[in-house]
Amino acid sequence: MISTQIKEFTFQNCLMNASGALCMTEKELSALLDSNSGSLVTKSCTMNYREGNESPRYFETELGSINSMGLPNLGIEFYMKYSIENQSEKPIFLSIAGLSLEENILMLEKIQDSSFIGLVELNLSCPNIAGKPQTGYDFERTNEVLEKVFSFYKKPLGVKLPPYFDEIHFNEMASILNKFPLYFVTCINSVGNGLYIDFETESVVIKPKNGFGGIGGKYVKPVALANVRKFYTLLNKDISIIGCGGIENGQDAFEHILCGASMLQIGTQLMKEGVSVFDRIHTELQDIMIHKNYNSIADFKGKLMNL
Ligand code: DHB
C-alpha cells in the first residue's frame, strides 16, 4: 500500500533512515537491513576513516536533537563493500560527503568502477566541519560540483540539500539542479548551526564548536515541508523528492508526501526509538490512508491544496 518508486527502483515501502542515524557500523546497518524499512542509507563517508568530533556530540531534547558529529565514519571502502554484499530487493543508498570536490570525485570513481548497483546520495550540506562551508549554500560551487560529477559519473545519483529560507534561493538552486540527470533530491539536512542550552547549568549541551550544531526533529518540520514543497513544484518531474525533517508519526509522513515526497527519511525519531519506528509509522500512515480512502501514495503525493 505504501510502496514507492524512484525511476527504475521500487521500494516495498517509503520509509528509510536519514543518513547519520544508526547507520555507521556493520551492526547498525544490518539492523536497518533486517528492519521493516523500505530502504537504508549509509553514514556519510569520506575516503578514509574519521574519528569525528569530541563527545558529547549528540544531544536529544524534548522537541528534537542537536548534533555536531564531525563526520565520524569507517571510510568508503567499508560502506561500498557492505552495500555490494547486501544488495537485494531492498535498494541501498550510499551517502558520500568528501571534504573537497576532489575527494568526492575520487569516491565516485571508485563507485563507478565497482559492482555497486544502488543509489548515491551526494551530501552537499554537512554543517559540522569547522572552516568548511556547506556546498549547498554556494550556488556557483554547487553548479561546478554537479558539472564535474556528471561529466563522468553514470550511475544513479541524487543530492542531499541544506534547508533554504529565501524564495530566490529556492529558484536559483532549482534551476541549477534541473540541468542535471538527478534521480532525487533529499530535503532537508539539519538546520545548521543552531544552539541549544541547558537552562539549569547555563551551558551548552554538546562540546564541538562551542555548542553549535545541526538541529533536527519537531523544530524543523515546517522548514522541511516548505523545502519539499518548493522543490516538488520547481524541479523537473523526473527528479524525485525524498522528504526528511521532523517525521515522528504517520501524520508527519502523510504531510511530507502531500507536499511531494516520494520517499521519507527518519533521523531524530529513529535515534530515539530504534528501528521499530518503521513498523509504527508504517501502521500509522496506512491507517490514515484507509481513513481517507487512499490506496497508494500516488493518490495524494504532491496534492497539497492552496486556499
Ligand atoms: C554530519 C552531519 C551532517 O548533517 C551531515 O550531513 C554529514 C555529517 C556529521 O557531523 O557527522
Side-chain angles (χ1 to χ4, degrees), residues 36-49:
N36 256 333
S37 71
S39 181
L40 63 149
V41 56
T42 56
K43 169 68 186 170
S44 288
C45 69
T46 47
M47 279 292 273
N48 299 308
Y49 169 90

Side-chain angles (χ1 to χ4, degrees), residues 19-20 24 43-45 50 52-53 57 67-73 95-97 121 123-129 134 160-161 188-192 214-215:
S19 185
M24 188 169 87
K43 169 68 186 170
S44 288
C45 69
R50 281 175 60 90
N53 291 337
R57 56 192 188 181
N67 87 83
S68 184
M69 305 300 287
L71 266 175
N73 77 91
S95 172
I96 67 167
E121 184 177 81
N123 187 346
L124 300 179
S125 48
C126 173
N128 296 335
I129 306 295
Q134 295 183 62
K160 175 127 172 212
L161 297 177
I188 58 172
N189 206 319
S190 54
V191 172
I215 306 290

Side-chain angles (χ1 to χ4, degrees), residues 169-236:
H169 293 165
F170 287 120
N171 294 336
E172 263 186 54
M173 184 48 65
S175 71
I176 291 168
L177 299 172
N178 274 333
K179 298 194 296 179
F180 300 98
L182 290 159
Y183 269 57
F184 64 91
V185 166
T186 305
C187 305
I188 58 172
N189 206 319
S190 54
V191 172
N193 293 293
L195 185 60
Y196 188 83
I197 61 177
D198 183 326
F199 169 74
E200 291 301 330
T201 63
E202 303 175 15
S203 88
V204 302
V205 297
I206 55 172
K207 179 140 178 118
K209 291 175 69 176
N210 294 330
F212 286 72
I215 306 290
K218 250 196 218 316
Y219 302 110
V220 311
K221 192 179 87 167
V223 175
L225 291 176
N227 277 260
V228 169
R229 186 65 184 158
K230 269 292 180 193
F231 284 107
Y232 180 78
T233 58
L234 291 169
L235 292 180
N236 302 334

Side-chain angles (χ1 to χ4, degrees), residues 23-294:
C23 59
M24 188 169 87
T25 64
E26 174 143 20
K27 192 168 164 220
E28 288 172 336
L29 290 167
S30 296
L32 286 170
L33 207 57
D34 294 343
S35 79
N36 256 333
S37 71
S39 181
L40 63 149
V41 56
T42 56
K43 169 68 186 170
S44 288
C45 69
T46 47
M47 279 292 273
N48 299 308
Y49 169 90
R50 281 175 60 90
E51 189 63 36
N53 291 337
E54 266 187 287
S55 292
R57 56 192 188 181
Y58 184 84
F59 188 87
E60 277 171 2
T61 79
E62 196 192 326
L63 299 178
S65 64
I66 182 166
N67 87 83
S68 184
M69 305 300 287
L71 266 175
N73 77 91
L74 304 180
I76 183 143
E77 296 293 346
F78 169 78
Y79 298 104
M80 223 170 73
K81 184 161 179 280
Y82 186 88
S83 347
I84 290 170
E85 283 173 358
N86 292 284
Q87 353 199 66
S88 63
E89 68 290 348
K90 187 161 166 169
I92 297 180
F93 291 76
L94 181 54
S95 172
I96 67 167
L99 297 183
S100 64
L101 172 54
E102 294 66 34
E103 189 176 6
N104 279 326
I105 298 296
L106 284 173
M107 288 193 283
L108 287 171
E109 283 171 351
K110 273 182 182 296
I111 299 168
Q112 174 109 303
D113 292 341
S114 76
S115 51
F116 177 73
I117 54 163
L119 304 96
V120 165
E121 184 177 81
L122 172 62
N123 187 346
L124 300 179
S125 48
C126 173
N128 296 335
I129 306 295
K132 289 277 176 190
Q134 295 183 62
T135 307
Y137 286 145
D138 182 336
F139 297 94
E140 241 176 82
R141 183 68 170 161
T142 296
N143 187 57
E144 187 189 348
V145 166
L146 292 177
E147 276 184 354
K148 284 251 162 60
V149 165
F150 285 108
S151 71
F152 75 96
Y153 192 75
K154 303 296 172 215
K155 291 181 174 182
L157 180 141
V159 291
K160 175 127 172 212
L161 297 177
Y164 299 98
F165 302 91
D166 191 297
E167 185 95 35
I168 298 301
H169 293 165
F170 287 120
N171 294 336
E172 263 186 54
M173 184 48 65
S175 71
I176 291 168
L177 299 172
N178 274 333
K179 298 194 296 179
F180 300 98
L182 290 159
Y183 269 57
F184 64 91
V185 166
T186 305
C187 305
I188 58 172
N189 206 319
S190 54
V191 172
N193 293 293
L195 185 60
Y196 188 83
I197 61 177
D198 183 326
F199 169 74
E200 291 301 330
T201 63
E202 303 175 15
S203 88
V204 302
V205 297
I206 55 172
K207 179 140 178 118
K209 291 175 69 176
N210 294 330
F212 286 72
I215 306 290
K218 250 196 218 316
Y219 302 110
V220 311
K221 192 179 87 167
V223 175
L225 291 176
N227 277 260
V228 169
R229 186 65 184 158
K230 269 292 180 193
F231 284 107
Y232 180 78
T233 58
L234 291 169
L235 292 180
N236 302 334
K237 280 293 167 268
D238 60 342
I239 304 178
S240 297
I241 312 290
I242 301 182
C244 182
I247 302 176
E248 294 180 359
N249 56 43
Q251 182 176 327
D252 300 326
F254 184 87
E255 291 175 10
H256 264 265
I257 297 167
L258 204 57
C259 287
S262 296
M263 189 92 199
L264 308 172
Q265 295 184 346
I266 301 170
T268 299
Q269 193 59 30
L270 170 61
M271 295 291 288
K272 286 187 177 177
E273 199 171 327
V275 296
S276 64
V277 73
F278 299 115
D279 297 304
R280 179 177 61 78
I281 297 182
H282 189 146
T283 305
E284 291 172 0
L285 177 57
Q286 269 189 340
D287 288 349
I288 289 170
M289 288 169 64
I290 290 164
H291 185 72
K292 286 178 175 274
N293 255 316
Y294 292 129

